[in-house]
Amino acid sequence: MAAPGGAEGPAPGRGGRGLQGAMRAASGALGMDSAGRTREAYVEYLKSITLIAQALQEEAAGTENSEGVTPDTPKLLKLAEQCLERVKSISAALGKAQVKPAAQERGGGPAPLPRHRRVCSDEGGKLSPFLPPEIFQKLQIAEAQSCSYRELTPLEEASLQNQKLKAAYEARVARLNPSQAVQKTSLTLSLQRQMMENLVIAKAREETLQRKMEERRLRLQEAANRRFSSSVALTPEEQEQRALYAAILEYEQDHDWPRQWKAQLKQSPADLSVVSGLFSCLLSCPEHPITQLLRRLQCAVYARLYPAVSRGPADASPPGGRRLRASRSLHCMFSVPEHGPAALRHSQSSTPLADSGAPGPTEPPETPRESSFEDLERFLASPEGWAPTEPLASSGKETALPELLKGVVRDIHNAIDRLLALTLLAFEGLGTAAGKDQCLACLEEAFFPPLWAPLLALYRTVQQPREAALARSMERHRHASPADMGLASRLFPPAPGRPAYASAVQDLRLIPLETCPRRKLECIVRALRGICECAEEYCGTRDTRSLATAAIGADDLLPILSYVVLQTGLPQLVSECAALEEFIHEGYLIGEEGYCLTSLQSALSYVESLQ
């Protein structure tokens, strides 16, 4: 599949876009498949195969001296093979679908659902596999270029003018009679002369422009050197910062918006909305040095994460338990039995957790469709190193992954510090305490979203024993009442059928949907505030005179929060909190946000230890 205008570009670029388009189409089909929309998935798989065939046909027609084969051809063929396997499985299942209703009537009802099922990503219902670092980088560049508007060079302008002249020439020649050969020759010579003049003038303009740009670059480099003048030798990091600062000065020579935002910052230094507006404008300009540095640092962190999460916890065997086979969904999570019709369904694996020593309900065996489903999902996660999943003897992996996680965390902190320092250097109006905090918040919201899924996957692999223990505890106590968790009767909802602390449960369930640490922390704070509001409402409904003293104390908060944690059914909260504790700014950890996070961690530990 070629993008518009792809026929004029080189063959390798066209093949890369064909692979990306085919993978997106297959991912959409896979999302429908995992959501149970079988018929729609069947059609989308067929469309994916058609797109792959078109891409291969265009590669064969556009490549030279390589017999129609590009580096992306084997990947496209493998993707087509996996999509065709799914088409075969779905077509066989659809052929049997007509006899299922009658069988269910004879059996007295539908078959029970397994405890664990695959779901698509929590982000809008579409599956988002982990892509190899090179494809991740290509997508980041394509996303940046999609909103990039650059001016044409003199040679490009001359090329456009020549194309218009040629189109006008062809239209005039088409109107001439065969007997007017002299006029046709005259028009041809005139066209060639005009096109040559345009190219000569454009080349002279380009050489002059390049000379002036080089003179300006040297002048700005001298300004950057004066800014970083020091009696001692600069470190490599300081030299890079000096080069980036010179690039920022050069960028500001060609664009007016940085000066306008600097004037607004100087006029309203306490207005934090100005800082947010500045970052919105900054991140929408992919050619700005700060934005380019942001992309490079994101790709560097992703490249370090990918080897550890590309196969994920599928290859790690927890002590004393069965191997967990992880979904490649960006927001994969454990699933425990639902607590009610409104409960959210999440899943990390299609293989149930083993409850050591406790017999549990038997799982129906995996149907044949799971094999091709798993193969396609793994291929979309890693098209280059695709291979069927095999358990690895990872004796040293359990110790290597925590060290890798520490290194990744250190890299992320260093990356954000570098971005913050460069931003404060470029926009001096952000130097106030409030400006720095808002600047840091904006940088984190831009930096974390594409990285949070693989980062959380690594955290979950490291925290796997705790998550497994918490999942078993949640499963054993899924029917626990507020009284079972030690809540006083005055903290129960007055209506018998009303779920207790439902708003807090929903707020905690929103945590996996966010991709920025601060947003996740806001969900935790809202949950604890909701607990206090519900407790006051329950107490006030029972006795209006006790409204003034209805606020709960610390002794009441832990049982209530533990009950709320049980109701969420999300063992992944262990890893989420571990990541938040690492990436939340220390200023938040000593305030209300830190208290709420510590309280949630205490509740998770308590639920994990329940017998």
Side-chain angles (χ1 to χ4, degrees):
M1 181 181 65
E8 299 179 1
R14 178 167 58 245
R17 288 192 293 270
L19 177 61
Q20 293 178 13
M23 290 185 66
R24 289 197 186 100
S27 296
L30 196 58
M32 296 178 183
D33 198 354
S34 29
R37 298 155 58 187
T38 310
R39 295 182 181 275
E40 298 176 26
Y42 180 76
V43 176
E44 288 300 318
Y45 281 126
L46 294 176
K47 290 181 180 179
S48 302
I49 296 173
T50 303
L51 292 176
I52 295 171
Q54 292 176 354
L56 291 173
Q57 183 180 359
E58 291 178 3
E59 285 181 358
T63 54
E64 298 178 358
N65 302 325
S66 59
E67 300 181 356
V69 177
T70 69
D72 287 335
T73 300
K75 304 173 190 176
L76 288 169
L77 292 173
K78 177 59 70 175
L79 183 58
E81 179 184 345
Q82 298 300 324
C83 290
L84 186 59
E85 286 295 325
R86 288 302 306 137
V87 168
K88 291 179 182 178
S89 301
I90 294 177
S91 62
L94 291 178
K96 301 177 182 177
Q98 303 299 328
V99 300
K100 286 184 179 180
Q104 288 181 1
E105 289 179 4
R106 290 193 300 269
L113 290 174
R115 290 184 302 164
H116 298 271
R117 67 181 183 91
R118 284 194 167 274
V119 297
C120 49
S121 166
D122 299 318
E123 200 173 71
K126 63 180 181 180
L127 197 67
S128 303
F130 296 131
L131 299 174
E134 59 273 12
I135 298 182
F136 175 84
Q137 186 173 8
K138 288 180 181 178
L139 292 179
Q140 293 291 94
I141 295 174
E143 180 184 354
Q145 291 176 346
S146 64
C147 57
S148 175
Y149 301 93
R150 67 176 184 89
E151 297 180 358
L152 298 178
T153 64
L155 284 176
E156 291 172 339
E157 292 179 355
S159 178
L160 289 178
Q161 291 176 3
N162 288 345
Q163 290 178 13
K164 294 178 182 178
L165 287 174
K166 186 178 179 181
Y169 161 79
E170 292 174 348
R172 292 186 63 181
V173 169
R175 292 195 297 267
L176 294 177
N177 295 326
S179 60
Q180 296 175 310
V182 177
Q183 294 184 10
K184 181 177 180 181
T185 303
S186 176
L187 288 175
T188 303
L189 293 175
S190 176
L191 172 67
Q192 293 176 351
R193 178 182 56 81
Q194 291 180 355
M195 292 179 69
M196 185 60 66
E197 288 179 354
N198 287 341
L199 289 176
V200 170
I201 294 173
K203 187 174 181 180
R205 288 179 55 200
E206 185 128 342
E207 290 176 352
T208 303
L209 181 61
Q210 288 179 353
R211 185 176 65 253
K212 290 184 177 179
M213 293 288 291
E214 181 63 19
E215 293 174 354
R216 188 182 69 178
R217 188 189 67 80
L218 293 175
R219 186 174 65 253
L220 295 175
Q221 185 65 50
E222 291 177 0
N225 292 342
R226 289 193 298 270
R227 179 69 181 266
F228 286 85
S229 61
S230 174
S231 57
V232 297
L234 296 178
T235 64
E237 292 78 11
E238 291 172 337
Q239 292 177 3
E240 181 188 18
Q241 191 177 35
R242 181 177 63 180
L244 289 171
Y245 181 67
I248 291 173
L249 294 179
E250 186 174 353
Y251 178 88
E252 292 177 352
Q253 294 290 317
D254 299 327
H255 301 81
D256 293 331
W257 66 264
R259 288 191 292 271
Q260 296 172 359
W261 282 106
K262 287 180 180 180
Q264 291 191 39
L265 287 173
K266 187 175 181 180
Q267 183 179 359
S268 305
D271 189 356
L272 298 182
S273 63
V274 176
V275 182
S276 301
L278 166 61
F279 269 89
S280 177
C281 183
L282 174 64
L283 297 174
S284 65
C285 299
E287 67 276 10
H288 194 281
I290 294 178
T291 307
Q292 292 177 348
L293 177 63
L294 171 68
R295 302 292 183 193
R296 288 201 305 272
L297 294 174
Q298 284 176 327
C299 292
V301 172
Y302 187 88
R304 188 167 185 184
L305 280 169
Y306 179 75
V309 301
S310 57
R311 298 183 70 87
D315 301 323
S317 298
R322 293 174 56 183
R323 182 168 57 89
L324 298 179
R325 194 174 188 181
S327 169
R328 294 305 194 266
S329 170
L330 277 186
H331 297 283
C332 54
M333 54 185 77
F334 278 102
S335 173
V336 295
E338 288 78 5
H339 302 172
L344 299 181
R345 295 180 178 180
H346 301 282
S347 174
Q348 174 165 346
S349 76
S350 55
T351 304
L353 277 172
D355 192 353
S356 56
T362 59
E363 299 273 346
E366 287 189 353
T367 61
R369 76 180 283 275
E370 287 300 321
S371 175
S372 56
F373 185 97
E374 297 282 350
D375 290 345
L376 176 57
E377 194 174 26
R378 282 200 302 277
F379 176 79
L380 285 174
S382 179
E384 294 187 353
W386 181 87
T389 303
E390 297 177 359
L392 300 179
S394 53
S395 58
K397 192 173 182 180
E398 295 178 1
T399 58
L401 285 179
E403 293 301 321
L404 174 63
L405 179 59
K406 291 179 182 178
V408 170
V409 169
R410 185 167 55 250
D411 289 348
I412 291 176
H413 284 307
N414 291 338
I416 293 178
D417 289 343
R418 289 172 60 187
L419 288 168
L420 180 62
L422 187 61
T423 305
L424 296 178
L425 192 63
F427 300 94
E428 297 178 353
L430 297 174
T432 63
K436 286 182 181 179
D437 288 343
Q438 186 67 15
C439 179
L440 183 60
C442 294
L443 282 174
E444 289 178 349
E445 290 202 8
F447 186 85
F448 277 107
L451 299 175
W452 189 263
L455 179 63
L456 182 63
L458 181 56
Y459 265 99
R460 298 195 66 186
T461 305
V462 173
Q463 299 284 341
Q464 193 178 65
R466 285 199 61 195
E467 284 198 18
L470 183 59
R472 290 192 293 269
S473 182
M474 285 181 168
E475 186 173 347
R476 285 194 297 266
H477 301 280
R478 63 184 181 274
H479 299 304
S481 65
D484 296 332
M485 301 303 297
L487 272 69
S489 59
R490 62 185 178 85
L491 300 176
F492 293 1
R498 180 180 176 185
Y501 305 98
S503 63
V505 174
Q506 294 300 326
D507 283 327
L508 290 186
R509 283 176 174 166
L510 292 177
I511 293 176
L513 305 183
E514 299 290 348
T515 55
C516 177
R518 295 197 183 205
R519 301 288 185 187
K520 293 175 179 286
L521 191 59
E522 289 173 1
C523 294
I524 298 176
V525 173
R526 285 199 309 269
L528 268 76
R529 289 176 178 174
I531 287 176
C532 295
E533 292 173 359
C534 289
E536 291 179 1
E537 177 187 350
Y538 300 159
C539 293
T541 304
R542 295 178 183 277
D543 186 2
T544 56
R545 294 172 297 178
S546 64
L547 206 58
T549 60
I552 60 176
D555 294 338
D556 298 319
L557 179 60
L558 182 59
I560 298 176
L561 191 52
S562 302
Y563 172 78
V564 171
V565 166
L566 271 178
Q567 296 304 305
T568 63
L570 296 179
Q572 136 171 36
L573 291 177
V574 170
S575 300
E576 296 274 9
C577 288
L580 291 182
E581 187 177 20
E582 194 64 57
F583 294 111
I584 290 299
H585 190 266
E586 55 268 16
Y588 285 90
L589 295 178
I590 60 176
E592 179 188 12
E593 294 86 355
Y595 176 77
C596 294
L597 178 60
T598 303
S599 299
L600 179 57
Q601 289 176 311
S602 301
L604 290 169
S605 299
Y606 175 73
V607 174
E608 180 184 348
S609 65
L610 285 177
Q611 299 299 323

